[in-house]
Amino acid sequence: MSHWFAQSFRKLHKLYVSPQWAKARGERFDAAAYADNLERSAVDCLELYCKDHHGTCYYPCSLGLPHPRNILGELQPELKKRNIRLIAYFSVCFDNYALGVHPEWRMVNYLGDPYKLRPFYMASVCSPYTDFALRQLGELAANYEVDGFWLDIIPLARDVQQDLWMIAPHPIPDYSLYAQKAYEAAMGEQLPIQPTPEEADKIFEFMTAKVDAFLNQCYAVIRSHLPDAVITYNAAGAPGDPIDSADLISIEGHAPEYVRQSFNARWAKTRAKPFEILTAGALPRMELGGGWNGFDQKPLKFLQLENAIALAHGGSMVFGQAPYPDGETDAAQFAGFAEVFGPTRELEPWLREPSGFSDIGLVFAPKPRQASRLWGVMQDGAEAFHDALIDMHLQFDIIQFDCDLPRYQLLILPDQAALSDGELALLRNYVRSGGKLLASGCSSLWDEEGGRRADFGLADIFGVQYENDAGCEFVYLRLTDKALRTAVTALPIVIDEMPLRVSLQDGADVLGDFNGPESGRSEATTILWGDAGPDEDKRFPGIVRNRYGAGECRYVAAPLRSKGMPNAWVKRLMGLLAGSLIEKPILKTNAPAGVEAVLNEQDGRLVAHLINRYLGSADHTAWGDDDARLRDIEIEVDLSRSELAAVKRVYLAPDTPLAYGFSDGRVSIVLPELNLHAIVVIE
């Protein structure tokens, strides 16, 4: 398969949606004019709605609900003339037309109520709807030589609690008649009405296998006509994707959750596939689909900021664009995208296929199919540390166990609940050989199949034994280590998560104690509006330090969260615990916490991205160039672990020289000003 997608950084996701009730449907669509505007906006790839959630097809189809215009047929030749690639968007399991004609194809609960996301029903993959969709896909692939397919609304993930939506869940069980019959035929028993957790695991695996088989049918139909087509689906390769069979990683991430967008990009960066982060072009209103079909395009600074986040990790930020139902598009939309993609085109040589140049490996090894109940816990833990590390400007990669662990000074294991014996052995060897480990919460309490262990799989490294879940909703942490008390706070830190009660092993020592509250949360025991105070009789180890072989581990016996003001002390603690275990940081900077610093190796050079997230504040929108510009940003980079024996030049991409100093293997740079995104190149 061609990896042209990894060389492309200027993409739009065109949401042309024109339902039956709309006026003048398609009458003002002009394919040549639209393609001209794309070309002037420096767009190099268009993801075009060819079938929407209503069931409307924007190409002639023998099945389904046709649009008055053949939008795909008119636009495709115009795009080819301008060397703009075309990916066909196809709504799979949302199809109100087909599911209105055939309500028996809907996914339903045991009462027969259909699963519905606002106005849209979801199709059961066990029903004949799959044959209907496959025929539509086949006709599209047979008649239009597109470059790829983007399949939306694939029911994928175990529906577990997530702080932020990332992936379409697969509600289980599906009690449609077709699903019940398929389950009984395959499993030899009826679909349970109120499944136990173990039965729910089995049902999820059954339904995942059905989705997997359906996706493989989609691939086969498409590639029978277009063998080189790139194929992806919404949330392909996301942490909760139990199938991960697409050619690309495609994950939604929306403003103002810029840290989530960075997490998605950093996760995808190490997965060995091209990736895109998809965001609405309009201002987000989550109750209205996240802004996907809005016409009020985001201010330019917001678009540029989101774009910079993906580019810093070698991926694309793909923006949604919504024409009106009559086919016309505001000229101002194209003007905005030109301001984003024009400069991007000039920077592409410094963007392609980077690899992180990092001190820390943030271990995130979800098993969304094997241990499906736990992937959300593992993701929340990894996201929290990601947030804390970027504020500290520590250089880190989000990794699994298929990489060279010893290249990192520190590994962080944040609530990585489900780990295999093989993964435990890799971690044990890493620490024994002199590596440092920072772990938290329930890491290693389950195996890779989601089976509960009697004790931590890494108890010998943590220096503790698991006793029980402490049974309190929150806990007070008092730091006893003098250095931590000085660097963080001597105040009690409220950790608003359920802690684990652990006992100390010989040789380990305590850096901080937990105190359970005197009483649980209730209106009868409140202190005015607050929680009960700490109970000295409920003291147990909170942060533990342990030597193991030539290495060291610090373990925190609770989940750690970093988002929002209630977690301010926790976030500081997380960052300082990590920073204290890095002896010689690769990168140092005086930039404030709202600047994300990303250091990459790329094409034999070092490339540092500085991204000013202050410009993304929706409450203090920076309309002018000087509103949130930062000045005199100092950067120091350690070259001793790089391939650069000497520094020939330092410049701001594409070609603005920067003064620098070089001594003892470290290069020192002062960036005179940082507006939104700066790319500092050392070669």
Side-chain angles (χ1 to χ4, degrees), residues 94-113:
F94 282 172
D95 185 330
N96 271 12
Y97 169 75
L99 300 181
V101 175
H102 292 281
E104 72 277 10
W105 292 353
R106 299 173 186 171
M107 184 183 292
V108 299
N109 65 18
Y110 77 96
L111 295 173
D113 300 324

Side-chain angles (χ1 to χ4, degrees), residues 253-272:
H254 298 285
E257 298 294 343
Y258 304 116
V259 176
R260 160 59 69 87
Q261 290 177 329
S262 175
F263 176 82
N264 289 345
R266 203 179 291 253
W267 155 264
K269 181 180 181 177
T270 58
R271 303 317 322 141

Side-chain angles (χ1 to χ4, degrees), residues 31-41 82:
Y34 183 79
D36 281 341
N37 281 322
L38 290 179
E39 186 175 36
R40 282 192 288 268
S41 301
R82 296 160 180 81

Side-chain angles (χ1 to χ4, degrees), residues 491-554:
L491 295 165
I493 299 173
V494 176
I495 297 180
D496 206 357
E497 301 285 339
M498 187 173 290
L500 306 181
R501 187 180 293 274
V502 299
S503 57
L504 218 59
Q505 294 183 356
D506 290 343
D509 62 305
V510 175
L511 304 180
D513 287 321
F514 282 161
N515 287 106
E518 191 174 342
S519 173
R521 285 174 172 152
S522 76
E523 292 187 7
T525 61
T526 183
I527 298 177
L528 195 58
W529 307 111
D531 292 315
D535 188 340
E536 291 299 320
D537 294 331
K538 297 177 181 177
R539 179 181 294 186
F540 49 99
I543 303 178
V544 176
R545 176 173 55 197
N546 187 50
R547 301 293 304 182
Y548 184 83
E552 178 183 346
C553 175
R554 295 187 185 183

Side-chain angles (χ1 to χ4, degrees), residues 129-193:
Y129 172 78
T130 56
D131 296 327
F132 175 92
L134 288 168
R135 183 167 165 183
Q136 288 182 319
L137 274 172
E139 290 180 358
L140 199 164
N143 294 305
Y144 301 94
E145 194 175 341
V146 298
D147 295 287
F149 282 77
W150 205 96
L151 309 178
D152 200 7
I153 316 301
I154 307 294
L156 288 169
R158 183 69 174 267
D159 193 7
V160 298
Q161 184 66 37
Q162 303 172 70
D163 282 349
L164 288 168
W165 181 90
M166 176 183 278
I167 185 171
H170 198 144
I172 56 169
D174 168 16
Y175 286 101
S176 68
L177 183 60
Y178 294 103
Q180 291 189 57
K181 288 182 176 179
Y183 187 86
E184 187 168 1
M187 311 302 288
E189 60 188 28
Q190 290 187 338
L191 191 62
I193 295 294

Side-chain angles (χ1 to χ4, degrees), residues 67-138:
H67 186 262
R69 297 279 293 273
N70 181 3
I71 301 296
L72 174 59
E74 294 178 40
L75 186 56
Q76 185 186 25
E78 298 296 335
L79 296 179
K80 282 193 172 184
K81 290 177 190 176
R82 296 160 180 81
N83 295 316
I84 298 172
R85 292 187 182 267
L86 176 61
I87 292 179
Y89 169 101
F90 186 93
S91 179
V92 179
C93 285
F94 282 172
D95 185 330
N96 271 12
Y97 169 75
L99 300 181
V101 175
H102 292 281
E104 72 277 10
W105 292 353
R106 299 173 186 171
M107 184 183 292
V108 299
N109 65 18
Y110 77 96
L111 295 173
D113 300 324
Y115 176 76
K116 198 175 183 185
L117 185 61
R118 298 195 73 246
F120 299 113
Y121 299 103
M122 178 170 276
S124 170
V125 295
C126 298
S127 75
Y129 172 78
T130 56
D131 296 327
F132 175 92
L134 288 168
R135 183 167 165 183
Q136 288 182 319
L137 274 172

